[in-house]
Each structure stands twice: as C-alpha cells, then as structure tokens.
Amino acid sequence: MQAPAPSSGYPFTLAGQTLLALGSGALWWPDRRLLCVSDLHLGKSERFARRGGAPLPPYETRDTLMRLHRDIEDYQPGIVVCLGDSFDDTAAAQGLDDEDRLWITRLQAGRRWVWIEGNHDPGPVDLGGTHLAELPQPPLCFRHIADPAQSGEISGHYHPKAAIRTRVRTISRPCFLIDGDRVILPAFGTYTGGLRSSDAVLDTLMRPEALAVLTGPTPRPMPMPR
Amino acid sequence: MMRDLPDQIETWFSARGWTIHPHQRDMLERAPDPATLLIAPTGGGKTMAGFLPTLAELAAHGHDGLHTIYVSPLKALAADIKRNLTRPVEDMGLAIRIEDRTGDTSYSAKRRQRADPPHILLTTPESLALLISYEDAPRIFAGLQRIVIDEIHALADSKRGDQLMLALSRVQALAPGLRRVGLSATVDDPDAIARLMARHPDRCEIVQADPGPDPDISMLNTDQAPPWAGGGAAYAIPAVLEQVKRHKTTLIFHNTRAQAEIFFHKLWLQNDEGLPIGIHHGSLSRAQREKVEQAMVAGDLRAIICTGSLDLGIDWGDVDLVIQVGAPKNVKRLIQRIGRANHRYNAPSKALLVPANRFEVVECVAALEAAKAHDLDGEPRGPGPLDVLCQHILIAACAGPFDADALFAEVTSAGAYATLTRADFDTCLEFCATGGYALRAYDRWQRLQQRADGMWQLRDPRAAALIRQNIGTIQDTDTLKVRMKGRGGAPLGEVEEGFAASLTPGDTFLIGGQVVRYESLREMTVEVSRNRGREPKVAVFNGTKFATSTQLSQRILAMFAQPDWPQLPAHTADWLALQRQVSRLPQAGRLLIETFPHEGRDYLCAYGFAGRNAQATLGLILTKRMEEMALDPLGFVATDYATLIWGLERVTDPTPLFDRAALREGLETWLAGNAVMKRTFRASATIAGLIQRSFQGQRKSGRQATFSSDILYDTLAKYDPDHLMLRITRDEAMRGLVDFGRIEDMLDRIDGRIDHIRLDRLSPLSAPLFLEPGRVPVQGAGQERLLAEETERLLTEAGLA
C-alpha cells in the first residue's frame, strides 16, 4: 500500500505562535510538537443503538482512528491533545471494543496524551492519558468550548463548516475559524455534522476579519462566510 | 343471479331519477369475490361503485366494528370522499359511521378510533401502516370485510403501493375473510395491477366500465415557431391567453415547478386584461394552495398554472380545457391527467399540447398519435423493493413478537413479493435486527432480538415510537420554509435546502409567482423581501425531470423513418428534411453518432434515444472512457434523445467506446463516489429505517448534532461494500436516476450497428443541444482548482491575500 502523503497545512499565527491548520482537520504546533484534534465522537454508532436508534454502520471509530493515526505518523507529535467530545458519551468510551482500545494505546505510546473534557464526555475514561478540564500551554490555552473573554485560545465544540459558491457549484466543507484571539477547530470524527459559520453563535464569537480555512486535500483560507 | 339492493338504497337512486351504472351493478354482483379491479373514467361513479356493496351489506345486516377500509393516495381525497359519502348515507337513513384517519386527524380522534372503530374508515397507505403497528391491531381489524383502494394506478407505480400491499398482507392475516377492491383510471396493463392487489395466488377479476368518448387532443397552433431549445414555452403565451379567454376554466400543466413559476411570471406580464389566473404546486405553502383551491371551486379563476400536485382526484369544478406545456414524456400520464381534469361523464375532454421547443414538436405529435391509438406506455416495475420490506418487518415488530416463518408466508402473499427468496427475507430481517454488518456489532444493542421460543421482538420497547414516527415511503427532500422578512412575514412556500445553500444575499428568485430577493437564512427559514418587476437572477429550485418513455421514443424513431412528415408543422418538417440531407436521421435498431468540429473543439453526438437520465449516465461514462483514452473531453450535455460531448481531440472510431463490458466497468467505478448514488442511498436508507427523519419527535435539522447520510454511504462503501443497503441502492439507481437499464436496452436494440457520420460542421439535429442548459463539466482535479481560484479571489477582494 502506498504511504499517505502528509496532509499539507495552512500556516498562521496566534499569540505570536506559528500554527498549521491541516487539511485533515487537525491543528499542528511545530514549536511544541503538539497535535490537536477536536470532537472525535468515538462510539457514536454504539450510543445510537444503545438508545434504541437505528444500527448505524459501526465503522466510524476505526475510520476516525485511521485518520488520526495517519496524522500522528506524518507529524510524530510529542503531545496529542484531544479537545473534548472525544467519546460520544462515557458509556461509549467503555463500550469501545478491545481492538480499538489497543489501537489507542499504541497511538499513545511514547508521547504525552491529553483528553480535554467536553460536554459529551465530562468524566475520566479508563484509557491511558491525562484527563483535564483545560490545558494551558502559554501563551495558548486549549479548552472544549470557546470563552469569549479569552484570547490565545484553541477550542472545538461547534463543528464549524463553511460553504463557498464557485462558478460551477457550491462546495461545503468542515473548516477552521481563525482570528486574532482564537481558533475553533472542525470536528475530526467521522460521524459528525457541521454548523454553518454564518450561524449567529459563531458570528458573535469571531472578529470581523476572521478567516475560515476549509479542510480537504489542500486547506483553503477564505474570509469567514457570515 | 341479480343481487337486490336494500330498499333504502334503491329508493335513494330512484328518488333522484338515477339509474345504477352497469359497472356499479357489476361490482355488486362480484361483491363476494376475494379481489376485483374496476377500471373506469373519472366522473363515472367509480367511488360509488366501490362503496355500494358495503352500503348494501351494512343496510341489510348491520355490523359490529370495522367493515370497510377505504385507502386513497391523498389525504385531501379521503376528506372529500367522507363528505361525498356521508351525505347519501344520511339521506338513505342508514346508521353507518364514516370517519377519516390521516396525518391531519387529531391525536384524541385517532385514539378513539382504535378503541371503537367506525364502520367505514377512510385512510392513506401510511396511516394504515401505522394502524397495523399497534399491539391492538388484531382487535381493530377483526371482522373487517372489505378494503377499497382508490386511484390504485397512482399507487401501483410506487413504493407507497408496495407498502400498502404489505400492510394488506398483515390485515388479511388478521381478517381472513377480507375482500379487496381496486379502483383505477385507464392503464396500459390492468393485469399487472390485478396481480399486485390480489392475495397471491388469488384470481382478480377485472371490470371495465365504459371508457366514455376519446379525449379531443391537439397541438396548439402558434404564430411563432417554437425555439430550438429550452423548456419554458414563453413564445406560446399569447396563444395560451387566447385559449383561456375562449374557455371557462383552463388547467395549464407544466412538467416542473420551476417551469410553472417562470411561465406564471411571464404570463402575468402579458395578461393585459387581468384575467384571474392562479398558480398551484407542491412547494407552495399550504395556505397559498388552499386559497387557490377555494377560488377554483368557487369558479373565481379562469386558469390555474400547475404541476402534478393537481394530478389526483379532487373535484375541480368546471374545467373545460387542459393545456399541457412541454412534451408529455409519457402518454399514460397525459391521458390520466386529461381524464381527471374533466369531471363531466360522457363528454369528451379537451386538451392542447404546447411543445416548448422544436424537438418537442416531434414528441408531441408522437404522443398524439399514441393517444389516438390507445397505445399507453408502462415500464414493468420489477420485484418488490427490499427497503420497503425492511420497514414492514420493523412495523411488524412494533405490533408485538412475531414468527419469522409466518411473516415470510404473509409477505410472499403480496403480489410484488411473491418471488421473494427466503435468503433475501432473512437478510432484511438480519438488517433490522443488527444492521447486518460484516463486522459483528451490537451484540448487546440489537434492535430486534430472537427470544428463546424463536419469536422476534424489539429489544427496547421505546424503539417502537421511533419506528412509528418514521413510517412511510414518501421522500420529502429537506426543504426550508420561505417567508417575507419582518415580524409575522407571510409564508410563501418551500425551497430545497441545496437551492437555499446556493443563494447569496441579493439574489432574486421566483416563488408563488413573485420575484423575491434573498435576505438571510434564519434558523430553518429563508427570509426574503419583495422585489417588484425585476427579472429573477436565479431560476428556481430543482424539479424532477421525467425521462421520455421507451414507447414514445420508439414512436419518434418510427416517425423519422417516414419519407415526409405531413403531420408536422412546416418548420419542423423542414428541419428533419435538412438533417436527412446533410447527415441522416436516427433509425430504430441502429445508433447514429455524428462527429464534427465547431469553434475550435471536437464534438461527438450520440443519438441513443434512451431518455434523459440514461443519456446523462452515458455522458458520464463515455467522458470517463475518453479521458482514459487521452481524448481530453471537456464536458457534455444530455437530452431525452442524445448526448453531446465536446473535447480537444477528434474521435475517429467511436465503436470501442460503446463496448458493453467497458461501459459496465466504467459504470462500476463511476458509481462509487457518485452524487446520484448518494441521493438514492439516502432515500432507501430512510425507508429501511437506517436513517431516521424524525428522532424523538423532533425533525432532524441537519445541524451540528447530526451528520449527513453521505457520510454513512461513504463509510459503508469503504468498509462494507457488500452491505444490503448498498445492494438496494445499486438496484434502485440502475432503474431510476442512473437508468443503466435503458442503456443496456439500447445496446441490445442496436446490437453493434453503429453508424458514424463525420461532418465538417454541426448538424441540424445536434444544433439544439448547443443551447441546452445543464452542461456538465468533466471533473478531475477540477473541483480543487475551482476552490483554489475562488478562495484566492475572495481573499484578494477582502485585502487579506
């Protein structure tokens, strides 16, 4: 099998730090060798079935881990930060099968691993790594939900996406939202939807000059659609 | 043997000086038969023919509980029938309770109906499916004698019909004495409908009522010749207005909502006398539609511009002219449309066809000839679809534990599922129970569990509510409401979500006959403002485009073989003659391919006559093949009769392009990531219960919490390509939007006979294709390039580059 090409990155600065928005939806901080992903929602299909919903194709956990694995291979991070909602709920974390748990353990080997708590997974999980409400890495801080009062902040939660109308068709992709104060990451999980960047809550959070960086083979920056 | 009618009924008829129609008498005679199909024109007392045996039985013997269920495809029709039936029943002095039960019926009324069913229940396929999902279904249906299915021809072509017949198989098991009656308009193959509606292998007698006089159909004569391409028929507006003036009430049918909107808009600009003319289609708000319907019944309107939403049933008052704008594409639908609008029994209906372009002139004349020859078209439907079966299994589970063998026996008593294999049934059962994934999953969280005694049941009884909320096979595309901006802004209707996403503030579009300006998207509502007098910038939302039927296509080819065309207007006959002179006309049993240069590009035009969807699929596969052969195709466009491809290299030998194995292989690779497949998957996965439209009473808003069905499709295609849902999707697409079946039919017909004509310029027959909208650019790295271009432009514009 052909080795996957490293997904290229869109470089920008936040609080004086150079960061890369990767086409995969992950964030790379070269100086700290830190890789950050948000909203993995592992175990979503299991939670859905448990609550009496339809039995969705149970492949989203391995698909999400596969893509995370690729980024870890490409960038060899010293620290991985999962920015909350890593599991669809606490029981879903416990419901992961042995193969997936083993896979996560292998990914964790030889590096620091931080689970930030999210609204879906507020409690600690019995997987390796550190469980934190938020992770300060001055001058930056990692938390699940953006705090409008803070600056130099990396967060997730909203699953932002943006649509762009080209001369042929409208293309909609998950995206990073970036301004001088913060970055909001797209959801990395396979079974995740998106919230349009034009939604009022995102519009209020982001400064007027904010960019949206669309994910895909090459990340593409554009003025954030309002 | 002549059956006597109870006195009350005889008296009622004679008091009005009415006699019972022969076919109504026939239906009374056949009342004890297990299944009867009545074919009768509108206005022929068809509904009364269906109900007379019920009234006779109830008048003679009375009955405890439910006696007859009436099923119609439309809620409005059920309500209409309730009014029209209650009146005579009261006049006859019969103590018969008649109630309707549809999506509009209140919760308390529905509860009461379950506890104490009326004698006659008027309902829809979906409401009946919901009824059989209740635990008390055996009690509700015990003693049921008859079921009357109205407008069965409209259901027989669709999954709604399949669902209804599966529900009937269940009801029949609960009420073994049940007799079935189907009421149908004129159809091409009554036997096919009879097979669908009878319990397999019961016989089903067919009663034919006097069809009445043939409709008087002709083509509208206009001073101006139709344009070479396009679908609007705006050129004919003065002639159409003239016809409206000359008649009392005119229905003007269009093939798509978009065309109806544009036509309405342009017509009003020319309606100098201010004739009262309204518009009616499925995307308008209910209030808007009701307003038009009431005005119509009151006789306040001279014309209504409409689409298929007016196709069924309802009494439209005194319509004396039907105008069909655009080629009818399908003769059966044309005849039914004309017949239904006319509610005067034994008076011929009058209809005019308005071709929208030069080729449609040929199509309209072919349709006229087919109608005169009573040559109706129909495509055989194939076996019952498995997604509907999956939903039926889930519905059965809602009603209580079931035995798989017994359910299989029931299901195969429905005509469409008579050939269902046990293996396919078990696959569907497994899908409902565990999802049926290659990866053993959900051991703990199965949806259905098999008990120790072998019966299947829901693991979590709460799932029943969820399943019930998602009953039905009608696919409403995700739509957004449109309303005027400002507090309490008037609702105007709905547009498809994809169309709304393509709008930017300031864009103008047509809805409900007015040009509006897009302002913003608030929650799930598109806000617009009035924008008088300007041309709309964006056309309108998408509408389904029907493909021309095989029979009609064959008639056109037969017409091309004539030495000359006295039946065609001179402008069209001259055009065909010129084509014959400079190239040749397409022939049945052969495939004509023209190649020619034009404005620096090389063109290939393949006249496959396979219908719009198949010709588009052909375009996609051929351009893919051409790319592999380094012929550098740049794009293509498809119509019902041809595909036009352009590129940078001349195709010297097109024959290898049409190799069946290669086309099939091209299809396989192309299908995998295709948007048509994703759309088809979404529909089937929703019916089969994999995607829930409604979750805990809340309509999915498609936002942050949920993810699109495309993701499920991609995931399945990647990790579980042989999964049942992908198999269903493939089968559906082959018959539906991809329509590969018609490409294969074409290959069978031509059997290698390809005529390649090289020309030094475009041919008369190919010329209209150059004006055809809907050009498809050949993608590749194209999408990424477009994205790069556009994002860079925006950044530069914003001064951020």
Side-chain angles (χ1 to χ4, degrees):
Chain A
M1 216 172 97
Q2 197 184 335
S7 51
S8 55
Y10 168 75
F12 62 98
T13 39
L14 182 70
Q17 302 298 307
T18 298
L19 302 172
L20 255 67
L22 305 186
S24 65
L27 184 79
W28 175 237
W29 187 358
D31 284 358
R32 308 281 171 100
R33 304 207 57 74
L34 182 151
L35 185 78
C36 177
V37 289
S38 189
D39 298 273
L40 302 178
H41 287 273
L42 301 174
K44 182 156 193 149
S45 60
E46 193 256 8
R47 173 168 176 244
F48 210 71
R50 187 184 342 123
R51 303 201 312 173
L56 299 175
Y59 305 113
E60 85 286 10
T61 297
R62 64 164 74 167
D63 191 72
T64 304
L65 290 178
M66 174 78 78
R67 288 180 296 106
L68 180 57
H69 187 134
R70 233 174 260 164
D71 276 345
I72 289 176
E73 288 274 293
D74 291 347
Y75 290 90
Q76 296 295 334
I79 170 169
V80 171
V81 180
C82 299
L83 212 42
D85 288 1
S86 305
F87 305 94
D88 214 46
D89 65 3
T90 314
Q94 278 143 18
L96 289 188
D97 63 30
D98 293 344
E99 207 178 314
D100 292 336
R101 304 176 79 86
L102 203 63
W103 196 352
I104 292 173
T105 310
R106 279 202 309 271
L107 292 178
Q108 290 175 334
R111 55 181 57 94
R112 202 177 154 208
W113 191 285
V114 178
W115 303 106
I116 303 279
E117 72 181 35
N119 48 314
H120 279 257
D121 52 356
V125 290
D126 61 344
L127 289 155
T130 320
H131 183 87
L132 295 172
E134 54 180 59
L135 173 70
Q137 289 276 300
L140 302 179
C141 185
F142 295 80
R143 64 171 62 87
H144 181 56
I145 304 180
D147 176 352
Q150 302 297 318
S151 186
E153 177 192 70
I154 316 277
S155 66
H157 179 64
Y158 292 107
H159 303 198
K161 68 173 180 183
I164 180 168
R165 193 163 140 192
T166 72
R167 62 193 155 85
V168 176
R169 68 186 58 153
T170 300
I171 300 170
S172 174
R173 298 259 174 97
C175 68
F176 294 81
L177 298 180
I178 301 171
D179 67 15
D181 290 327
R182 62 179 41 79
V183 183
I184 301 180
L185 264 59
F188 196 86
T190 296
Y191 287 177
T192 52
L195 183 70
R196 287 249 167 83
S197 62
S198 54
D199 192 275
V201 61
L202 293 172
D203 192 42
T204 318
L205 262 175
M206 303 305 292
R207 287 165 44 162
E209 71 276 13
L211 289 182
V213 178
L214 305 189
T215 55
T218 310
R220 301 282 180 195
M222 67 187 280
M224 170 177 152
R226 302 273 178 166
Chain B
M1 182 196 72
M2 196 70 169
R3 267 162 202 278
D4 284 331
L5 272 178
D7 292 343
Q8 303 100 308
I9 301 178
E10 288 281 12
T11 318
W12 184 81
F13 269 92
S14 50
R16 277 157 188 77
W18 293 353
T19 48
I20 296 179
H21 290 308
H23 61 269
Q24 294 174 330
R25 182 68 68 186
D26 253 9
M27 293 302 284
L28 272 171
E29 296 296 319
R30 297 185 186 284
D33 290 359
T36 316
L37 173 62
L38 171 66
I39 312 262
T42 311
K46 189 164 51 174
T47 314
M48 188 47 104
F51 277 112
L52 263 183
T54 295
L55 300 186
E57 286 169 29
L58 286 172
H61 319 295
H63 187 76
D64 275 344
L66 200 52
H67 180 283
T68 296
I69 291 179
Y70 162 92
V71 182
S72 97
L74 283 186
K75 285 189 281 198
L77 199 52
D80 231 34
I81 298 288
K82 186 184 164 191
R83 274 193 302 276
N84 297 343
L85 194 62
T86 305
R87 188 68 191 284
V89 162
E90 280 172 1
D91 291 348
M92 291 171 195
L94 300 175
I96 298 177
R97 244 175 76 209
I98 304 169
E99 291 176 14
D100 60 345
R101 180 190 182 94
T102 66
D104 290 346
T105 310
S106 75
Y107 177 74
S108 59
K110 282 183 177 172
R111 277 207 81 90
R112 192 180 41 69
Q113 283 171 346
R114 276 168 60 193
D116 177 22
H119 293 113
I120 300 178
L121 185 71
L122 313 164
T123 190
T124 58
E126 291 71 28
S127 287
L128 184 64
L130 187 56
L131 261 184
I132 63 163
S133 80
Y134 291 116
E135 297 87 337
D136 51 2
R139 195 183 45 71
I140 299 171
F141 292 105
L144 178 69
Q145 296 297 307
R146 305 182 73 237
I147 182 148
V148 179
I149 307 163
D150 203 358
E151 308 275 1
I152 190 172
H153 60 279
L155 290 169
D157 279 345
S158 73
K159 291 186 178 178
R160 299 183 72 200
D162 297 320
Q163 172 157 64
L164 173 62
M165 295 313 158
L166 287 175
L168 266 190
S169 72
R170 190 85 264 276
V171 173
Q172 189 96 47
L174 300 173
L178 179 69
R179 291 157 286 156
R180 309 175 178 201
V181 168
L183 310 175
S184 170
T186 316
V187 286
D188 57 303
D189 188 1
D191 291 329
I193 293 185
R195 272 195 303 277
L196 278 184
M197 65 163 268
R199 175 178 54 189
H200 183 76
D202 284 358
R203 272 173 57 79
C204 177
E205 290 297 332
I206 298 172
V207 174
Q208 294 267 7
D210 174 4
D214 275 352
D216 162 19
I217 319 176
S218 52
M219 206 158 68
L220 178 70
N221 286 318
T222 53
D223 297 334
Q224 209 186 330
W228 289 109
Y235 78 98
I237 285 174
V240 167
L241 275 173
E242 191 51 41
Q243 291 295 330
V244 171
K245 274 181 223 162
R246 278 195 231 153
H247 291 83
K248 243 157 79 192
T249 314
T250 306
L251 290 187
I252 305 171
F253 280 100
H254 286 260
N255 288 334
T256 68
R257 293 168 187 179
Q259 282 170 5
E261 286 280 359
I262 294 166
F263 193 86
F264 183 68
H265 178 67
K266 292 189 172 159
L267 183 126
W268 264 99
L269 298 176
Q270 296 183 40
N271 184 7
D272 303 330
E273 293 180 30
L275 294 169
I277 296 175
I279 181 164
H280 188 289
H281 61 71
S283 296
L284 296 178
S285 68
R286 187 199 282 219
Q288 283 243 39
R289 272 180 286 157
E290 281 174 356
K291 221 169 82 188
V292 172
E293 287 163 17
Q294 280 159 14
M296 179 81 182
V297 172
D300 294 340
L301 291 179
R302 292 295 297 279
I304 296 189
I305 293 177
C306 55
T307 62
S309 66
L310 269 194
D311 258 355
L312 284 171
I314 319 192
D315 202 334
W316 282 108
D318 211 357
V319 174
D320 54 351
L321 177 66
V322 171
I323 294 181
Q324 161 72 37
V325 178
K329 306 287 171 202
N330 175 311
V331 181
K332 182 169 66 177
R333 202 168 48 238
L334 173 72
I335 297 291
Q336 288 171 356
R337 190 168 268 187
I338 293 169
R340 245 180 321 250
N342 176 30
H343 281 231
R344 297 164 303 164
Y345 188 50
N346 274 335
S349 346
K350 191 173 166 194
L352 288 169
L353 304 187
V354 183
N357 58 49
R358 211 61 67 91
F359 192 83
E360 285 194 356
V361 173
V362 183
E363 254 185 281
C364 282
V365 170
L368 284 176
E369 291 176 354
K372 282 212 179 75
H374 297 270
D375 177 15
L376 302 189
D377 33 19
E379 314 275 339
R381 257 205 92 217
L386 298 184
D387 50 357
V388 182
L389 175 60
C390 291
Q391 190 180 111
H392 184 70
I393 293 173
L394 290 172
I395 289 172
C398 289
F402 67 86
D403 174 65
D405 294 342
L407 187 62
F408 177 68
E410 259 174 49
V411 162
T412 48
S413 78
Y417 293 89
T419 57
L420 176 76
T421 63
R422 182 60 194 247
D424 276 351
F425 175 84
D426 287 340
T427 307
C428 289
L429 178 58
E430 182 62 28
F431 167 78
C432 292
T434 67
Y437 299 106
L439 175 76
R440 291 291 303 169
Y442 307 127
D443 290 338
R444 292 166 64 200
W445 311 121
Q446 293 195 348
R447 186 147 54 164
L448 305 183
Q449 280 175 328
Q450 196 168 18
R451 304 192 308 201
D453 65 357
M455 302 282 273
W456 290 86
Q457 68 177 20
L458 289 175
R459 173 183 57 83
D460 181 348
R462 286 177 304 178
L466 210 58
I467 292 166
R468 289 194 184 111
Q469 281 159 17
N470 288 282
I471 284 179
T473 58
I474 304 174
Q475 289 308 302
D476 34 21
T477 44
D478 280 341
T479 53
L480 301 177
K481 293 215 174 332
V482 180
R483 57 168 71 235
M484 281 292 173
K485 198 178 165 74
R487 244 178 322 138
L492 298 172
E494 295 177 336
V495 292
E496 284 163 20
E497 203 173 349
F499 174 73
S502 73
L503 294 171
T504 47
D507 282 353
T508 52
F509 63 99
L510 275 165
I511 186 162
Q514 45 184 319
V515 184
V516 294
R517 181 179 188 278
Y518 173 68
E519 295 290 341
S520 59
L521 186 69
R522 268 193 24 184
E523 275 144 41
M524 297 299 281
T525 306
V526 176
E527 291 194 327
V528 298
S529 59
R530 238 171 262 286
N531 190 74
R532 275 186 206 289
R534 270 183 53 191
E535 277 290 295
K537 180 176 159 198
V538 185
V540 256
F541 36 86
N542 300 321
T544 326
K545 279 187 176 166
F546 292 103
T548 300
S549 70
T550 307
Q551 283 89 327
L552 208 46
S553 302
Q554 289 308 306
R555 277 191 172 266
I556 294 168
L557 287 173
M559 200 190 292
F560 281 171
Q562 293 174 204
D564 52 14
W565 300 277
Q567 77 267 53
L568 292 177
H571 50 67
T572 304
D574 292 348
W575 173 50
L576 296 185
L578 187 63
Q579 168 72 17
R580 182 173 277 163
Q581 194 187 320
V582 304
S583 172
R584 65 169 78 170
L585 281 165
Q587 285 172 272
R590 312 186 72 86
L591 175 65
L592 173 65
I593 292 173
E594 292 173 340
T595 52
F596 47 82
H598 181 71
E599 289 180 352
R601 286 181 186 169
D602 276 285
Y603 285 81
L604 180 151
C605 192
Y607 299 92
F609 281 82
R612 179 176 297 274
N613 295 334
Q615 291 288 152
T617 299
L618 191 63
L620 286 160
I621 303 174
L622 287 182
T623 48
K624 204 168 177 320
R625 290 261 293 148
M626 289 167 69
E627 195 145 272
E628 286 160 12
M629 295 160 79
L631 291 166
D632 295 346
L634 294 173
F636 73 90
V637 68
T639 67
D640 278 307
Y641 62 100
T643 303
L644 179 70
I645 300 172
W646 51 94
L648 298 175
E649 297 292 328
R650 178 152 217 183
V651 178
T652 48
D653 180 14
T655 312
L657 283 174
F658 289 86
D659 175 63
R660 185 188 299 250
L663 282 178
R664 205 161 235 301
E665 197 194 303
L667 178 78
E668 298 294 321
T669 30
W670 165 70
L671 276 182
N674 182 263
V676 167
M677 289 296 273
K678 289 180 178 172
R679 206 180 326 158
T680 310
F681 171 79
R682 180 190 173 114
S684 283
T686 306
I687 292 171
L690 183 61
I691 300 170
Q692 281 147 341
R693 278 170 301 179
S694 164
F695 190 71
Q696 287 157 358
Q698 287 193 322
R699 208 76 169 163
K700 255 172 72 165
S701 66
R703 294 287 164 257
Q704 185 184 3
T706 61
F707 48 91
S708 77
S709 61
D710 292 3
I711 293 173
L712 290 185
Y713 175 85
D714 287 338
T715 308
L716 267 182
K718 192 162 155 194
Y719 294 101
D720 211 341
D722 298 326
H723 189 260
L724 173 70
M725 282 316 308
L726 293 185
R727 196 180 117 197
I728 294 175
T729 304
R730 180 169 297 260
D731 290 349
E732 290 280 320
M734 288 300 201
R735 291 194 291 221
L737 291 165
V738 173
D739 217 1
F740 195 74
R742 281 184 75 176
I743 296 180
E744 296 206 304
D745 288 349
M746 176 197 78
L747 294 175
D748 286 342
R749 279 198 311 274
I750 65 168
D751 192 23
R753 290 178 292 267
I754 294 177
D755 301 316
H756 178 205
I757 309 271
R758 291 165 204 226
L759 301 167
D760 54 6
R761 68 180 73 169
L762 59 98
S763 67
L765 204 54
S766 67
L769 284 137
F770 284 79
L771 306 169
E772 191 68 27
R775 294 169 155 244
V776 182
V778 170
Q779 296 286 329
Q783 175 131 319
E784 292 307 315
R785 227 177 70 205
L786 281 171
L787 206 55
E789 260 174 45
E790 192 61 23
T791 51
E792 274 157 31
R793 193 186 66 75
L794 286 174
L795 280 178
T796 312
E797 212 168 79
L800 295 168

